Amino acid sequence: MPPMKKDTLLVHSGRHPEDNFGIVNPPVYHASTVTFPTVEKYEAKPANPFDGVQYGRTGTPTTFALEEAVTALYGGYKTIATSSGAAAIAITMAAFLKSGDHALVIDNVYGPTRTRVSDTLLARGGVDVTYFNPAQPIGNLLRPETKVVFIESPGSLTFEMIDVAAIAAEAHAVGALVLMDNTWATPLLFRPFEHDVDIVIEAATKYIGGHADVMLGVVTVQTPEHHLAVKGTANAMGNCPGPDDCYLGLRGLRTLSVRLERHQHNALRVAEWLNGRVEIDRVLYPALPGDPGHDLWKRDFSGASGLFGLILKPYSHSAVAAMLDGMELFAMGASWGGYESLMIPSKPGEIRTVSDWSPAGPCLRLHIGLEDPDDLIADLEKGLTRLNSTA
Ligand SMILES: Cc1ncc(COP(=O)(O)O)c(C=O)c1O
């Protein structure tokens, strides 16, 4: 068969009905103990120590089905499913960094990647972490002991874009691995391995799950060595995504393409409408012509998801609260990627250390769901009226 296109992969990957009475979806295996019929089979050592069904924690056919599908979509060697996106980040960092190493992390990275993983877990383990300005090359910040460069593009609060392949070329020149959090784009909108990323991480909690009801992460690697490193660390840390969550991840994946198309359609409508409003200083969405990251986005991405930011003109905290508290369709919640619209106040400048983020006014982050965009715009219009009428 010729290589399949992404929509076909979404439908067919990770499914083996012939192993399961012809039933379309893989079964949900709830398992801890796995039994073996003979001492020989019990003591057998597979070439890859994590191959096959061994014990609940190392995975069941439900876990493997999700991992197989995500691997096919990213075009990698193997995927390791984790119990959340944060777990995927912590495990992958821990797999490739040890005491005395240096890690370079993008300054606009997802907050907990900085505060909980880099500044806490890695620092405690003797890893020196420094940050880099997304607007600048990294050559002068790399050292012989730099083992990891961690990136996210666009960042999930400020939506700044970077030239991923250019950063990867600099990192590889000193032998560092490039780890990318690709949660915003998913494998459908950005193909990290084609831009020389080594290992891709995604919070499957977001668009893969797609229904705001699952915590899940995935790490896709390109080599057996990297698989052993990540899977070994995941196992050592007791990582074990639940079978129902793996099933839900896989079920979400089947409709990822059609959902993302609608997220982009709706988000563009809403972002364009907001762009023309006097209350808004800037819409932060690389899919909008005029966004500083638009050219890079157009060059490297095949679409945009439904998450973007806003910088308001200077308004008081109580005016912003009046706007958000009264929203009818936009709920206030920190996650995203589900079918529903969300809006939160955000403070991207608070934890950056090497690059300036001083917006003209308060920042908001919007996730545009699958509602009718006319209704979302009507809700936002009323919200902006509250913003204007509160001191
Ligand atoms: C960009 C990004 N990466 C990773 C994560 C972490 O994922 P999880 O919430 O599944 O731990 C999040 C969660 O909000 C995120 O926004």
Side-chain angles (χ1 to χ4, degrees):
M1 285 231 299
M4 286 185 275
K5 300 245 166 74
K6 62 176 191 197
D7 285 349
T8 314
L9 287 174
L10 277 176
V11 171
H12 287 275
S13 304
R15 290 209 290 114
H16 301 282
E18 68 284 2
D19 297 340
N20 178 38
F21 308 102
I23 294 168
V24 170
N25 290 301
V28 180
Y29 284 92
H30 281 270
S32 55
T33 308
V34 175
T35 58
F36 299 82
T38 62
V39 169
E40 189 191 352
K41 290 212 160 120
Y42 181 73
E43 290 181 342
K45 299 248 178 299
N48 177 332
F50 295 108
D51 263 358
V53 181
Q54 304 180 8
Y55 177 56
R57 194 193 324 125
T58 55
T60 71
T62 317
T63 330
F64 304 152
L66 171 69
E67 293 176 343
E68 188 182 318
V70 173
T71 303
L73 286 164
Y74 271 116
Y77 166 69
K78 273 190 180 175
T79 294
I80 299 95
T82 62
S83 53
S84 68
I89 293 163
I91 286 166
T92 311
M93 291 277 221
F96 296 107
L97 290 161
K98 60 178 186 330
S99 177
D101 287 345
H102 170 240
L104 193 56
V105 177
I106 196 160
D107 204 26
N108 62 348
V109 77
Y110 169 61
T113 304
R114 172 194 283 267
T115 55
R116 300 203 179 119
V117 178
S118 305
D119 295 347
T120 307
L121 204 65
L122 295 180
R124 202 190 292 154
V127 177
D128 185 19
V129 183
T130 56
Y131 294 91
F132 71 95
N133 183 340
Q136 285 170 7
I138 57 169
N140 61 336
L141 303 170
L142 292 162
R143 314 173 189 163
E145 64 275 17
T146 309
K147 294 292 180 279
V148 159
V149 174
F150 192 101
I151 58 172
E152 218 182 293
S153 179
S156 64
L157 286 183
T158 52
F159 303 92
E160 294 148 284
M161 300 287 299
I162 57 169
D163 186 335
V164 173
I167 295 278
E170 291 184 286
H172 291 158
V174 297
L177 291 173
V178 178
L179 276 44
M180 179 173 189
D181 180 337
N182 194 42
T183 304
W184 187 85
T186 83
L188 299 195
L189 307 180
F190 183 70
R191 318 249 336 129
F193 297 147
E194 290 169 18
H195 298 264
D196 300 329
V197 166
D198 296 290
I199 290 159
V200 61
I201 295 164
E202 185 173 340
T205 306
K206 316 297 179 199
Y207 284 117
I208 289 183
H211 294 73
D213 56 2
V214 64
M215 298 299 302
L216 208 56
V218 285
V219 183
T220 304
V221 298
Q222 299 184 85
T223 67
E225 295 73 29
H226 289 170
H227 177 255
L228 259 186
V230 177
K231 181 74 185 176
T233 308
N235 192 39
M237 288 181 166
N239 170 72
C240 185
D244 292 313
D245 290 345
C246 289
Y247 182 86
L248 286 174
L250 205 45
R251 189 158 100 157
L253 203 61
R254 305 297 175 206
T255 56
L256 182 61
S257 181
V258 287
R259 283 188 285 109
L260 277 177
E261 253 177 59
R262 185 61 72 85
H263 281 295
Q264 166 165 301
H265 171 267
N266 290 359
L268 262 175
R269 268 285 313 280
V270 174
E272 275 161 4
W273 181 82
L274 286 164
N275 215 14
R277 293 285 309 204
V278 291
E279 297 86 352
I280 312 295
D281 179 63
R282 243 180 83 197
V283 179
L284 311 169
Y285 192 37
L288 277 186
D291 184 277
H294 185 67
D295 289 346
L296 271 177
W297 172 79
K298 236 166 84 181
R299 189 191 74 183
D300 292 348
F301 286 58
S302 56
S305 65
L307 190 75
F308 65 80
L310 284 185
I311 304 176
L312 297 170
K313 298 260 175 69
Y315 281 97
S316 68
H317 188 257
S318 52
V320 175
M323 175 182 175
L324 268 65
D325 290 352
M327 298 307 293
E328 287 165 22
L329 299 177
F330 285 85
M332 227 179 306
S335 194
W336 47 284
Y339 55 82
E340 80 290 12
S341 289
L342 299 166
M343 178 158 47
I344 49 169
S346 69
K347 294 181 178 149
E350 274 190 355
I351 55 173
R352 290 166 79 120
T353 47
V354 298
S355 52
D356 184 41
W357 186 262
S358 345
C363 295
L364 301 176
R365 187 179 75 181
L366 281 72
H367 179 252
I368 305 301
L370 305 179
E371 301 93 335
D372 190 306
D374 288 343
D375 292 333
L376 296 176
I377 287 170
D379 198 21
L380 285 166
E381 187 152 31
K382 285 192 269 173
L384 292 176
T385 304
R386 287 191 298 280
L387 182 75
N388 280 321
S389 54
T390 312

